[in-house]
Amino acid sequence: MSGDALSQDPAELRRRIDTTKAHPARVYDVFLGGKDNYPMDRAAAAAALSANPRGYLDVRHNRDFMRRAVTRMATDHGIRQFLDIGTGLPTGDNVHQIAQRVIPEARVVYVDHDPVVLAHARALLTSGPEGRTDYIDADLREPGQILEQAAKTLDFDEPIALCLVALLHFVEDEQAYQVVRDLVDALPAGSRLVLTHLTDEMHPEPTRAVQRTYTERGFTFVFRTKDQVERFFTRTPGITLDEPGVVPVHQWMPDPAPAPPAIDPEDFEALDDIEKIRYRDINDVTDDDINVYGATGSKGQG
């Protein structure tokens, strides 16, 4: 374990969590069918769902992009080290589980800076016997601290996949580009960048309606266009954008998503709209449903 934060008493960490307000990580957890959320989070998810009834597909396909990208990094490129910043709450198929299915000795460092996530960090730290998983309590805006702590687990002489999934839309200014440059600059040749980002470019009306429901609850995010997302690659020295470039996440190297849990049709109909989400098949998706861009890039010789 990295940092003193994980040695804190779990009860003390939980006392730091404000359950009277919706929280982005917990709302995300609602849409993924998780259990680590509270009534205010479910209310926020329900309001977003009312504004865009198929909006849950953004969250679910963002997560499925990560599954495909990490699998491809390990399978096709032999990447055995992953630095996942903005981890979020643990849910099914975390990065270490995906990577270690392909490469059992893979090492994964998770980074987040939130008591909500920190309180559940021990659930993330369950690696296979051959690999290693660690957690850092650090802020994206302090890349030096992240890199210093990550070096205790990862070998920075060997390729690393840097995962910035559904994270950079929480950084509202040009600082986002500098942070990515600083992180990538520390990675060795052969490393990869995995990135997703919310946009209102494709379907502005429903996307902004969802944004308003979140803004009313005290948190927000910045949308970026395709060109602005591409800049995370083109403005970062040494990084080459992989094919097919920056595309809606469901179009990036598609393969069928895992089937949802089985449920009796009568039991399904008895559920509320939020509870139904975890049983819906996300392979039922169209281009009109997705408002998240995804892309990967590779770092060449310096």
Side-chain angles (χ1 to χ4, degrees), residues 151-184:
K152 297 177 182 179
T153 300
L154 304 179
D155 180 354
F156 276 74
D157 290 326
E158 297 293 332
I160 296 168
L162 171 64
C163 301
L164 302 172
V165 176
L167 174 65
L168 292 167
H169 45 245
F170 292 112
V171 184
E172 298 186 83
D173 53 29
E174 289 291 311
Q175 184 183 16
Y177 296 101
Q178 184 61 53
V179 165
V180 173
R181 286 196 293 272
D182 290 345
L183 290 167
V184 169

Side-chain angles (χ1 to χ4, degrees), residues 272-299:
D272 65 29
D273 289 343
I274 290 293
E275 292 171 328
K276 285 178 179 177
I277 289 174
R278 70 186 302 263
Y279 297 102
R280 295 193 184 279
D281 187 355
I282 68 168
N283 293 296
D284 171 30
V285 63
T286 72
D287 292 346
D288 290 335
D289 294 321
I290 299 301
N291 304 283
V292 182
Y293 283 127
T296 66
S298 57
K299 184 172 182 179

Side-chain angles (χ1 to χ4, degrees), residues 87-265:
T87 304
L89 288 163
T91 185
D93 260 6
N94 299 291
V95 170
H96 73 280
Q97 294 163 324
I98 300 167
Q100 290 175 1
R101 276 200 295 268
V102 180
I103 301 175
E105 66 272 22
R107 295 186 172 197
V108 178
V109 170
Y110 293 106
V111 182
D112 214 299
H113 187 56
D114 194 293
V116 175
V117 176
L118 186 59
H120 297 275
R122 291 175 179 82
L124 283 172
L125 297 173
T126 308
S127 176
E130 299 93 339
R132 183 175 175 188
T133 306
D134 210 345
Y135 180 89
I136 297 170
D137 177 24
D139 194 308
L140 172 68
R141 296 170 180 82
E142 299 177 353
Q145 180 185 357
I146 291 173
L147 295 166
E148 179 183 357
Q149 293 293 323
K152 297 177 182 179
T153 300
L154 304 179
D155 180 354
F156 276 74
D157 290 326
E158 297 293 332
I160 296 168
L162 171 64
C163 301
L164 302 172
V165 176
L167 174 65
L168 292 167
H169 45 245
F170 292 112
V171 184
E172 298 186 83
D173 53 29
E174 289 291 311
Q175 184 183 16
Y177 296 101
Q178 184 61 53
V179 165
V180 173
R181 286 196 293 272
D182 290 345
L183 290 167
V184 169
D185 185 59
L187 303 180
S191 292
R192 320 291 294 201
L193 174 61
V194 178
L195 184 153
T196 70
H197 200 293
L198 275 170
T199 184
D200 62 353
E201 189 173 39
M202 293 181 279
H203 313 106
E205 187 173 336
T207 310
R208 292 170 188 167
V210 170
Q211 183 189 40
R212 285 193 294 272
T213 69
Y214 291 143
T215 302
E216 291 167 359
R217 288 162 172 81
F219 58 94
T220 189
F221 33 76
V222 57
F223 294 121
R224 288 187 172 94
T225 65
K226 180 178 180 179
D227 286 346
Q228 289 171 325
V229 175
E230 286 178 345
R231 282 166 56 192
F232 285 110
F233 297 86
T234 60
R235 280 192 173 191
T236 302
I239 284 287
T240 301
L241 186 60
D242 297 331
E243 292 294 336
V246 174
V247 296
V249 284
H250 70 303
Q251 295 179 6
W252 189 90
M253 305 293 181
D255 65 37
I263 186 173
D264 182 272

Side-chain angles (χ1 to χ4, degrees), residues 29-41:
D29 183 66
V30 172
F31 282 118
L32 292 175
K35 303 298 184 184
D36 298 315
N37 51 73
Y38 299 94
M40 295 299 289
D41 307 305

